[in-house]
Amino acid sequence: MRYIPITCAQREHMLATVGVTGIGELFADVPAQAVLQGLLDLPEPLSEVDLVRHVRGLANQNVPATELVSFAGAGMYDHHIPSVVDHILRRPEFFTAYTPYQPEVSQGTLQGIYEYQSMVCELTGMDVANASMYDGATAFVEAALMACRITRRSRVVVSGTVHPEWIETLETYAASGLLEVVGDECTGGLSDASSLASLVDDRTAAVLVASPNFVGNIEDLAAIGAVARAAGALFVVASNPIMLGVLEPPSTFGADIVVGEGQPLGSPMSLGGPGLGLFACRESHVRQMPGRLVGRTVDIDGNHAFVLTLSTREQHIRREKATSNICSNHALNALAAGAYLCAVGAEGLVGIARSCVAKAHYLRDALLSTGRFSAPWGTPFGYEFALAYEGDASEMHDEMLARGYLAGVVVEAPEGGDLVVFAVTEKRTRGEIDAFVKEVASL
Amino acid sequence: MSEHLANTPAGAPLPGPRTLIFDLGAPESSCVLAPALDVPDIDLDVVLGGAGRNEAPRLPHVTELEIMRHYAHLAEMNFGVDSGFYPLGSCTMKYNPRVNEDACRLEGFAGLHPYQPLETLQGALALMHGLATALGEISGLPGVTLQPSAGAHGELAALMVFRAAHEAAGDARKRVIIPETAHGTNPATVTMCGYETVTVASDPNGLVDVEALKAALDTDVAAFMLTNPNTLGLFDPRILEITEAVHAVGAYAYCDGANLNAIMGVTRPGDLGFDALHINLHKTFSTPHGGGGPGAGPVCVNDHLARFLPGPLPVAFPDGTFGLDWPEESLGRVRSFYGNFGVLVRAYTYIRAIGASGVRDAAEQAVLSANYLKERLRDAFEVPYDRTCMHEFVLSGSRQKKANGVRTLDMAKRLLDHGFHPPTVYFPLLVDEAMMIEPTETEPLSALDAFAEALIAIAGEAGSDPDLVKGAPYTTPVRRLDEARAARTPDLRWRPPQA
C-alpha cells in the first residue's frame, strides 16, 4: 500500500459506505473475460533503500557529458545552471500544481509565466511569446502550421541548414497532409538565398531558417527574409537563446515567428528532454498562435492579477477548430528559463554568450593550427562550428572519449564525408581546451 | 469579512499581488556573473559577421536574494498537491514521491548529452527499455514508443500510426469518430492529423451509444477514439462489442489513456480490443504536473502496428547491451532526440517502487475513494449518471443554480476559501453545471471527509446565503479576475516605462 494512506479498517468502512462487500464489485462493468487473472508481470516492488540503489546503479552505468570535458552541442548544450534555478523549481507549490485553471490560487505559475513571456519577447525582439511548447523541433513545426493558417497557403520552404531532427519532425507532421515541405539542398554551410528564392512561389506559406544553423554558422537573415517577403510568405527564424544575448534579434530582419530550443536557459540536457520550445510572434498574429498565453488583468478589488487568456483559440473551447492540440506543455522548464534569465540578467547573458563565442573561436583556431583539422567554410559563427578531420572522425571521437573528452558530434557533411561539430560553452576553461587540443593533435 | 474565512490558517496574512521582477532591483544589481574570460577577447561584431546586437535585451537586474524572495512569494500564491487536496477530474493529481525527483536529478541521468556514444548511455537505455517493457505489459499492447512529449502529443502520434498503417495497406481513410464525452484534445488532434471529426452522442447512461456508433462506422473511418473509463467516470461495459464493431469495418480502436489510473492492473486496454493507447506518465505514473508540464505521452500499440511507430526506440540486444533502433516502416520522428527522458526516469522509478501489486492497489483504491466520495455527496448535489464510477465522478450543480442562482463556478470559488482546489468544472460538456471530481488513491480518508463536508456546507450556504457563495473567494491572494478584460485588451508582456 505504498503511497496509499488508507488503512485496512478505513477500507472496510469505505466499502461499507459505498454498499459493496468487496472491491471487485466496483469493477463489475469490466467484461469478465478481460479481467486480469493474477498480477501483471512486473518486477517486485522495491524498498526505498533498494530503489535508490537500483536507480543509482543505472545512473552509474552512464558516463555523463557533464563529467567529461564536453564539446558536444548540436541542439543540446552544457551550460552552467545557476543554483537558484533548481531551488526555485523544487518549490512544491510550483511543481505539484496543474495548469492554472483556477487563477485565484495559481498566481505564482501565472506571474512566473507572464514574466517568462516578457523575457522571451526581449530576447527575440518580438511582440508576444507563448507559455512554451514541447521542444525546439515541435515549436518549429507549429510555426510552419501557424504560417499556413495565416497565409492560407500550405507549402513551406525549409533551409537544409536547419537541425536535421527538426526537419524530420516537420516531415512527419507533413505526412498528415496539412502542409507540404520543400527542402533546400544545402552545401557550403549556409543557406543560399538565391536557391531559396527559386523554391518559393505564391503557394509558399513560410520560409524557415535557423541562425546559428545546425553547423553553427550565422545566416544572412536580411537576404533570406527578403526572399520570404517577396513571395508574400512569412519568415520563420529559429535561434539559440544564449546567442540572442549578442546577436541582433530576428525581429530586426523582419522575422514573423521566432522559435528555438530553450534548454540552454536553465534546463539540464537530460538526454535531450524535457527541453523547452520557445515561440514568439508579431502581435497581429496572436490569434493564430498555438499554445497557452498568460495575460495581465485586474480582480474585482482592482488588484493586478494574471490569467490564462485568449483561450478561445484552444482545444478545450474550439475543439476541432483549435489552433493546436497542445494541452500539457513545458511550463516548469519555462519557469526555469525565467529564473535563469533573472539570475544572469542582461549583463550576465551577454557575458556568457561572449565567453562562449570567444572560447569557441579560440578552440577553432587552436584545432586548425594542429594541421589535423581543416575548415570547410570561412563563415561567421557563434559558439559552435564544424571542422573536417584528416583521419577517421569516428575513431578520433572514440579515442578522445577514452581519454575523457567528448570531442564534439560527428555529422555527415552535406558534401559527403564527415564533419565534427564542436560547441564550447562558458563552462570550458582555457586549460581544458589547451589539453584537448594537445591530446587530439597527438593521435 | 472574517465570517467568510472558513478554514483559513491563522497567523500571517496571505500574500497579495506581487511586483513584477522587472520592477525590482537596481540597474547595477546582478546575481550570476559570467566567468572571467581566460582566452583572448573577441570583437563580437567582427566574428558575428556584423550581426552583433546593438542593444542588450532588457532583462531584470536583481540579486540572488531578490530572486529567491520573488519566487518564494510567487510560490506562496500557488496551490499544488503538496498544498492540499486537488481533486481535479481527469487530471489525476496524486502525490509525487520525492524519490522520483531525486532519481531524475542524478548526474548520471541529468548530465547526459543525447549524442553521446551509446556505450556511455547503457544505464539510460536500460531504463528506457525497462519502462517500455513495463508499459507494454500494463497496457497489453507490446509495441511502445517513448517519444511523445505529452498526452495530446501521444494522441497525435497514435493517429499518425493509424494513418501510416492504412496508407501502407493502400486504404487511405477520411474520418475519425469520437464520443461527445471526449477530451478537447481529441477533436483538435484529429484535425491536426488531417482527418474529419465525427461525433457520436452518448446513450442515456452516459456511455457510447453503440447503435449510433455502428451507424457511423464505414470503410472511410480510420479510427474510433475512446476514453475508457470515460470523462463521466464510467467504464463502458459494452467495450468488447464496441472494439469489435470498429474492427469490423477495418478501423482502429484508440484508447485515450488519460484515465488509465482507474484500471491498471485490473484490466488491460489491449485485452479490451484497443489497438493503441497513449499513457500520460505524469498522471498515472506520478510525475509532478509542473504548473502545466512537462509530461510524457508514450504510445503503446499492438504487434501489427509496431512497425509504424515513431522512433527511435530503445532495444535490448542478446548480449545484454542496449541500443536505439527504428521500426521498419516508422512514420519518422515526432520531436527531437528520445522523448522527455527526465519524465521517463520518474515514471520508471515509481513503477519499480510499487511493483505489480502496487499498480493494482493504486487503481483499486482510486476507484474506492471516488465511489466513497460520491456516496458522501450524493444527497447534496444532483448525480446525473448514478452508476458505480471508476476513479472519478461527475456531479451537477443544477439544483443550486435552479433554486438560488448559485452556479457551479461560484461553489468552486467558495471551495478555495475552505482550502481546497476545486474539481474540474463545466466538463464534460453534456452535464449541466458539471463538477468532475477525482480524489486519487493517495489522499487520506480525513482529506476525503473534510472535502465532502466543505462541499456539503457550501451547498447549505447556497441555500441560506447565496450571495456569500456568489462573492467567493474571499481569502485568496487575488479574487475573481476580469477575464473578459484580459481577452479584450491583451496585456501579454511587460514593457519598459516610456522615457
Side-chain angles (χ1 to χ4, degrees):
Chain A
M1 298 288 264
R2 190 162 188 173
Y3 311 130
I4 299 176
I6 304 291
T7 66
C8 290
Q10 288 173 333
R11 191 175 162 102
E12 291 307 316
H13 161 70
M14 293 171 81
L15 286 166
T17 305
V18 174
V20 293
T21 54
I23 201 88
E25 285 181 48
L26 299 177
F27 291 92
D29 284 339
V30 179
Q33 64 265 49
V35 173
L36 267 180
Q37 303 303 314
L39 289 173
L40 292 164
D41 183 14
L42 295 175
E44 286 297 304
L46 296 174
S47 69
E48 190 160 305
V49 173
D50 292 328
L51 180 67
V52 169
R53 185 180 298 122
H54 173 67
V55 293
R56 275 185 186 279
L58 288 172
N60 290 341
Q61 287 175 39
N62 303 316
V63 184
T66 46
E67 289 176 6
L68 297 165
V69 175
S70 172
F71 297 101
M76 277 283 138
Y77 300 91
D78 181 23
H79 289 286
H80 174 67
I81 301 175
S83 285
V84 289
V85 174
D86 196 49
H87 283 275
I88 289 164
L89 293 191
R90 278 180 176 255
R91 289 287 304 221
E93 303 91 335
F94 288 130
F95 83 79
T96 74
Y98 195 62
T99 307
Y101 291 137
Q102 296 289 341
E104 294 87 349
V105 289
S106 308
Q107 288 297 300
T109 293
L110 288 161
Q111 182 169 338
I113 296 296
Y114 177 90
E115 292 172 349
Y116 159 82
Q117 288 173 184
S118 304
M119 291 180 226
V120 173
C121 290
E122 283 296 320
L123 286 184
T124 58
M126 305 305 284
D127 302 320
V128 217
N130 72 17
S132 92
M133 316 296 278
Y134 304 137
D135 70 344
T138 47
F140 188 69
V141 174
E142 293 282 358
L145 291 169
M146 175 170 158
C148 293
R149 288 194 296 274
I150 290 169
T151 59
R152 297 174 189 275
R153 301 174 180 183
S154 61
R155 181 179 280 192
V156 297
V157 172
V158 183
S159 166
T161 66
V162 172
H163 196 299
E165 295 196 7
W166 293 24
I167 297 178
E168 288 171 29
T169 306
L170 182 62
E171 284 170 347
T172 301
Y173 277 68
S176 297
L178 289 187
L179 79 166
E180 185 189 348
V181 180
V182 182
D184 180 33
E185 292 291 320
C186 166
T187 55
L190 281 180
S191 310
D192 178 348
S194 60
S195 168
L196 289 171
S198 71
L199 297 175
V200 300
D201 58 24
D202 58 7
R203 290 167 295 177
T204 307
V207 176
L208 297 95
V209 66
S211 182
N213 63 27
F214 179 60
V215 288
N217 293 326
I218 293 164
E219 299 277 0
D220 184 350
L221 292 182
I224 302 165
V227 170
R229 266 192 306 283
L234 298 195
F235 185 32
V236 177
V237 178
S239 198
N240 172 312
I242 297 284
M243 283 302 296
L244 288 177
V246 292
L247 278 179
E248 195 71 347
S251 58
T252 308
F253 306 102
D256 296 286
I257 305 173
V258 179
V259 297
E261 172 52 62
Q263 175 272 331
L265 306 176
S267 288
M269 295 182 287
S270 195
L271 197 60
L276 168 66
L278 303 174
F279 196 108
C281 73
R282 298 175 181 282
E283 195 155 22
S284 52
H285 295 151
V286 68
R287 283 170 205 276
Q288 290 298 335
M289 191 184 210
R292 295 215 170 89
L293 289 168
V294 173
R296 182 154 53 163
T297 184
V298 293
D299 74 355
I300 52 169
D301 295 330
N303 288 316
H304 83 94
F306 301 89
V307 67
L308 291 177
T309 193
L310 300 179
S311 55
T312 47
R313 307 162 301 118
E314 282 192 71
Q315 42 81 17
H316 54 273
I317 310 266
R318 296 248 293 174
R319 293 174 77 88
E320 61 265 34
K321 292 193 174 61
T323 49
S324 85
N325 74 336
I326 288 179
C327 186
S328 291
N329 58 3
H330 283 198
L332 203 63
N333 300 75
L335 195 74
Y340 177 90
L341 289 168
C342 292
V344 300
E347 196 189 334
L349 185 69
V350 172
I352 288 162
R354 181 182 205 96
S355 170
C356 295
V357 174
K359 287 174 184 187
H361 283 75
Y362 178 77
L363 172 65
R364 182 171 178 270
D365 291 346
L367 287 172
L368 289 175
S369 71
T370 64
R372 313 292 295 275
F373 291 87
S374 58
W377 320 292
T379 42
F381 65 95
Y383 64 89
E384 196 163 19
F385 59 89
L387 295 179
Y389 180 65
E390 66 167 23
D392 183 316
S394 295
E395 274 178 26
M396 177 277 290
H397 197 273
D398 288 347
E399 181 57 38
M400 293 309 292
L401 180 64
R403 300 176 187 210
Y405 296 94
L406 210 42
V409 175
V410 179
V411 305
E412 218 174 296
E415 291 87 349
D418 286 337
L419 290 175
V420 189
V421 176
F422 292 95
V424 191
T425 70
E426 78 283 5
K427 283 172 78 172
R428 296 283 73 85
T429 65
R430 182 178 192 152
E432 289 171 339
I433 295 170
D434 289 343
F436 171 71
V437 172
K438 198 173 159 200
E439 294 255 4
V440 80
S442 72
L443 291 180
Chain B
M1 200 178 286
S2 60
E3 72 274 19
H4 299 148
L5 304 183
N7 286 6
T8 304
L14 287 161
R18 175 75 183 171
T19 307
L20 287 177
I21 196 148
F22 293 93
D23 299 325
L24 299 172
E28 61 274 21
S29 299
S30 62
C31 170
V32 173
L33 292 177
L37 207 54
D38 58 359
V39 298
D41 201 0
I42 36 149
D43 182 333
L44 275 172
D45 212 42
V46 171
V47 302
L48 301 177
R53 186 161 188 146
N54 287 323
E55 283 177 41
R58 293 160 298 191
L59 298 173
H61 294 275
V62 279
T63 57
E64 183 162 330
L65 174 63
E66 287 170 300
I67 293 170
M68 293 311 290
R69 281 201 184 140
H70 180 70
Y71 283 99
H73 191 112
L74 294 186
E76 285 162 13
M77 292 197 291
N78 237 29
F79 190 104
V81 171
D82 286 11
S83 316
F85 189 40
Y86 209 128
L88 201 62
S90 229
C91 298
T92 311
M93 298 296 290
K94 62 191 194 185
Y95 174 67
N96 313 123
R98 286 307 187 274
V99 67
N100 302 355
E101 291 299 304
D102 295 340
C104 74
R105 284 174 171 81
L106 291 170
E107 197 68 17
F109 293 137
L112 299 177
H113 189 280
Y115 291 147
Q116 288 183 217
L118 294 181
E119 61 267 25
T120 65
L121 299 173
Q122 287 299 303
L125 294 168
L127 183 146
M128 289 168 69
H129 186 265
L131 177 63
T133 305
L135 298 180
E137 168 67 8
I138 290 165
S139 63
L141 295 162
V144 180
T145 178
L146 302 173
Q147 287 284 310
S149 300
H153 200 212
E155 284 171 28
L156 184 66
L159 278 197
M160 287 174 171
V161 168
F162 292 161
R163 170 180 286 282
H166 282 306
E167 284 176 357
D171 183 22
R173 293 179 173 219
K174 298 192 185 76
R175 291 190 290 277
V176 172
I177 303 178
I178 60 168
E180 62 179 325
T181 53
H183 288 119
T185 50
N186 292 173
T189 300
V190 171
T191 306
M192 279 191 83
C193 208
Y195 288 116
E196 290 164 37
T197 307
V198 178
T199 305
V200 294
S202 299
D203 74 6
N205 297 318
L207 302 167
V208 175
D209 183 332
V210 181
E211 280 57 51
L213 171 65
K214 284 179 178 168
L217 281 168
D218 61 33
T219 53
D220 261 345
V221 172
F224 176 55
M225 300 176 86
L226 181 66
T227 310
N228 190 36
N230 69 17
T231 49
L232 292 165
L234 306 177
F235 188 95
D236 210 308
R238 295 174 74 182
I239 184 62
L240 293 173
E241 188 186 347
I242 290 167
T243 52
E244 196 181 311
V246 170
H247 292 155
V249 295
Y252 293 108
Y254 178 73
C255 185
D256 178 326
N259 294 341
L260 185 65
N261 201 55
I263 58 168
M264 59 179 182
V266 176
T267 184
R268 309 196 303 172
D271 299 341
L272 298 169
F274 287 106
D275 303 290
L277 160 86
H278 83 259
I279 298 178
N280 303 73
L281 290 187
H282 45 297
K283 297 182 180 181
T284 312
F285 298 108
S286 199
T287 291
H289 292 54
V299 171
C300 308
V301 300
N302 63 29
D303 283 324
H304 163 71
L305 293 171
R307 65 181 186 276
F308 302 105
L309 284 173
L313 312 183
V315 288
F317 297 116
D319 67 356
T321 64
F322 296 89
L324 292 165
D325 199 9
W326 287 84
E328 49 193 295
E329 293 173 66
S330 174
L331 57 82
R333 176 182 276 296
V334 294
R335 52 156 291 158
S336 56
F337 311 119
Y338 322 123
N340 280 348
F341 177 73
V343 179
L344 307 182
V345 174
R346 291 172 172 94
Y348 176 84
T349 305
Y350 175 72
I351 290 172
R352 292 306 308 266
I354 66 173
S357 55
V359 164
R360 192 183 62 193
D361 290 346
E364 287 182 349
Q365 186 58 49
V367 170
L368 177 56
S369 294
N371 278 285
Y372 174 79
L373 206 45
K374 178 159 75 82
E375 206 53 39
R376 290 222 47 191
L377 291 166
R378 71 160 55 256
D379 293 337
F381 300 92
E382 292 299 314
V383 185
Y385 296 95
D386 196 4
R387 295 168 57 92
T388 299
C389 68
M390 300 306 281
H391 68 326
E392 62 193 6
F393 62 99
V394 177
L395 298 178
S396 168
S398 57
R399 193 189 304 169
Q400 286 76 14
K401 183 177 155 194
K402 206 166 163 187
N404 302 97
V406 173
R407 302 193 65 212
T408 281
L409 182 73
D410 302 321
M411 293 191 279
K413 297 303 182 195
R414 185 63 180 144
L415 268 171
L416 297 171
D417 290 330
H418 286 264
F420 297 102
H421 195 283
T424 297
V425 293
Y426 300 107
F427 187 80
L429 305 173
L430 77 171
V431 173
D432 183 36
E433 297 295 317
M435 274 183 257
M436 182 166 50
I437 300 174
E438 179 181 1
T440 83
E441 72 278 10
T442 61
E443 288 300 326
L445 183 58
S446 56
L448 304 180
D449 283 333
F451 176 76
E453 281 148 24
L455 209 44
I456 290 165
I458 291 167
E461 289 175 347
S464 62
D465 189 358
D467 287 340
L468 171 72
V469 184
K470 289 183 202 172
Y474 303 96
T475 60
T476 47
V478 297
R479 297 180 57 215
R480 284 203 206 186
L481 279 74
D482 188 345
E483 299 194 23
R485 169 174 158 157
R488 208 170 45 242
T489 51
D491 169 1
L492 305 171
R493 60 170 295 194
W494 167 86
R495 287 185 189 276
Q498 294 299 320

